[in-house]
Amino acid sequence: MTGSPSTLVVGLWLLNIVLDTTGQLAFKAAAGDSDAGDGLARWKHMAARPWLWLGIGCYAVEFLVWIAFLSLIPLSEGVLLGSINIVAIMLAGRLLFGEKLTRLRVIGIALVTLGVAIVGLGG
């Protein structure tokens, strides 16, 4: 970011990370329900569960937060800073769903984090 980011920019960025991560986790919880069945029955089961609706709600609010965030910083910086969502989702997936973090994924997390740090410092 050019210069020091405002509190509003940082707040919107953090809120975007929280909303995107929560939305992805909610969708995973809805889709990963072993009692859901197959085909249309699976969709009906998911539609009756709060996880799907939490995910949709998070994405709706995230859309507005993302637009507000992008209105305050250049697109090239915003998209790069938004990449940290990938890291948050991978780590949360590991913690909540026991998903594997392979050596290559950990290297990827480190590289994305480094890139975001460089952009955040004014790259």
Side-chain angles (χ1 to χ4, degrees):
M1 284 179 227
T2 52
S4 179
S6 73
T7 304
L8 178 59
V9 169
V10 172
L12 289 170
W13 180 58
L14 293 173
L15 185 56
N16 177 267
I17 293 167
V18 168
L19 288 167
D20 188 43
T21 302
T22 303
Q24 289 284 353
L25 294 171
F27 287 146
K28 175 67 176 180
D33 188 346
S34 59
D35 297 332
D38 293 322
L40 185 58
R42 180 177 201 77
W43 282 100
K44 287 181 180 179
H45 181 81
M46 285 191 295
R49 309 277 295 154
W51 293 118
L52 180 67
W53 300 105
L54 175 63
I56 290 170
C58 283
Y59 268 39
V61 175
E62 181 195 6
F63 170 76
L64 299 174
V65 170
W66 184 247
I67 296 297
F69 178 69
L70 288 180
S71 74
L72 299 172
I73 64 168
L75 177 62
S76 59
E77 290 178 23
V79 170
L80 288 171
L81 290 170
S83 297
I84 200 69
N85 292 357
I86 296 166
V87 174
I89 292 165
M90 270 202 247
L91 294 175
R94 169 73 179 128
L95 291 172
L96 297 175
F97 299 109
E99 295 182 349
K100 295 195 185 311
L101 285 180
T102 64
R103 193 162 125 210
L104 282 177
R105 287 182 185 171
V106 172
I107 291 169
I109 286 171
L111 290 173
V112 169
T113 302
L114 178 63
V116 171
I118 290 169
V119 171
L121 292 173

